[in-house]
């Protein structure tokens, strides 16, 4: 779909060209959401892909820096490397996106997080791995924010006009964690009812991120593997379940308790 109010797409050659961003001039990632529905008031797009950012970089400290323009296909193609035990979670989360090969090859990590859908598969990934966004601000500086607080509600983030997500940073401890994943939908190829992504750090800490059935990423954190009853209580206390065609709030809460316990047992090794 061509948004009817869109006049032009700008190809930036440097960060300076991002100064054009405003209330009506937005960043373009892969365009899979932007061109899928009307965008009231949008007059211009600035195509971030033209900036040619390297999709991902192995950090010197053992962490991983993922460019906002890294596509889903590039994300899941990151090769294994010693110390990166969390890598299988990347594909598990990416495959929970309901998508065609076009979306797989075009949608970007930054675009997925900025869109802030409950089904934001890479929001769950970044939530479980404590991903931190590097956000370029219009004054030429940058700010950092955890993905879990950046996404405030469905289609709502802390991003201000003129700001651009530059990268998603994953710390070495998160990359070294054992991970587990569960997703359930009412239909075999249906949109997610609930999605749970979790990690257990080398030092024992346990982090569970629940998305899909909650209006925002819900991150539960324990200093060590919790007991079955404490985990069930924490998942049951999540306040932001919602009901829609893909599941009722009470079903989402109940099934998430069961799936969280499966994850707890899987990571109890
Ligand atoms: C058939 C279909 C199925 C889909 N299924 C899912 C699904 O299951 N889960 C899901 O989450 N989404 C889904 N989507 C929506 C969308 O395809 C994905 O969210 C995708 O990851 C968006 O990424 P993109 O790069 O294409 O974003 P774009 O469409 O380019 O941009 C999306 C939004 O993010 C902003 N943006 C993009 N990059 C940045 C950046 N670096 N900094 C700041 N803002 C930025 C844009 O201005 C825009 O507001 C689906 C779409 C379709 C058409």
């Amino acid at each position: 779909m061509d948004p009817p109010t869109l006049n032009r797409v700008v190809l930036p050659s440097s960060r300076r060209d991002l100064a054009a961003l405003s209330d009506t001039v937005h960043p373009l990632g892969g365009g899979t959401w932007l061109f899928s529905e009307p965008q009231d008031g949008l007059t211009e797009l600035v195509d971030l892909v033209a900036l040619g950012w390297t999709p991902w970089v192995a950090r010197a400290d053992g962490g991983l820096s993922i460019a906002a323009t890294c596509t889903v296909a590039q994300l899941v193609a990151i090769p294994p490397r010693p110390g990166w035990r969390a890598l299988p979670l990347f594909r598990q989360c990416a495959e929970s996106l309901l998508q065609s090969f076009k979306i797989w090859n075009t949608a970007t990590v930054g675009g997925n997080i900025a869109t802030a859908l409950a089904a934001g598969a890479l929001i769950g990934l970044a939530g479980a791995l404590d991903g931190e966004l590097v956000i370029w601000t219009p004054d030429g500086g940058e700010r950092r924010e955890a993905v879990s607080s950046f996404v405030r509600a469905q289609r709502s983030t802390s991003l201000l006009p003129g700001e651009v997500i530059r990268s998603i940073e994953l710390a070495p401890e998160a990359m070294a964690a054992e991970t587990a994943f569960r997703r359930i939908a009412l239909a075999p190829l249906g949109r997610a009812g609930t999605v749970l992504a979790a990690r257990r750090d080398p030092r024992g800490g346990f982090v569970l991120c629940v998305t899909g059935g909650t209006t925002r990423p819900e991150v539960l954190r324990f200093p060590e593997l919790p007991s079955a009853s404490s985990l069930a209580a924490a998942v049951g206390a999540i306040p932001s379940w919602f009901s829609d065609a893909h599941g009722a709030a009470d079903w989402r809460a109940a099934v998430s308790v069961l799936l969280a316990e499966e994850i707890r047992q899987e990571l109890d090794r």
Side-chain angles (χ1 to χ4, degrees), residues 32-165:
T32 62
W33 180 78
L34 274 168
F35 293 110
S36 71
E37 54 183 80
Q39 306 290 341
D40 292 341
L42 176 71
T43 58
E44 285 182 25
L45 287 169
V46 179
D47 186 353
L48 302 180
V49 177
L51 290 169
W53 295 334
T54 304
W56 58 272
V57 175
R59 296 187 342 201
D61 67 355
L64 173 65
S65 177
I66 303 167
T69 48
C70 176
T71 63
V72 175
Q74 289 168 331
L75 182 77
V76 301
I78 296 176
R81 123 181 342 232
W84 283 4
R85 288 195 299 177
L87 224 44
L89 191 64
F90 288 36
R91 178 172 284 276
Q92 288 170 314
C93 288
E95 286 182 344
S96 83
L97 260 158
L98 279 183
Q99 59 191 320
S100 66
F101 73 94
K102 284 188 201 165
I103 293 183
W104 185 259
N105 286 296
T106 317
T108 64
V109 177
N112 187 263
I113 293 171
T115 305
L117 297 176
L122 306 178
I123 296 172
L125 173 69
L129 298 183
D130 283 327
E132 187 181 50
L133 298 176
V134 174
I135 298 170
W136 278 357
T137 51
D139 59 2
E142 68 174 43
R143 67 181 180 91
R144 290 179 174 246
E145 183 169 6
V147 172
S148 53
S149 71
F150 172 82
V151 178
R152 295 181 168 171
Q154 292 239 51
R155 299 287 304 110
S156 170
T157 70
S158 68
L159 203 71
L160 297 170
E163 290 188 334
V164 167
I165 301 172

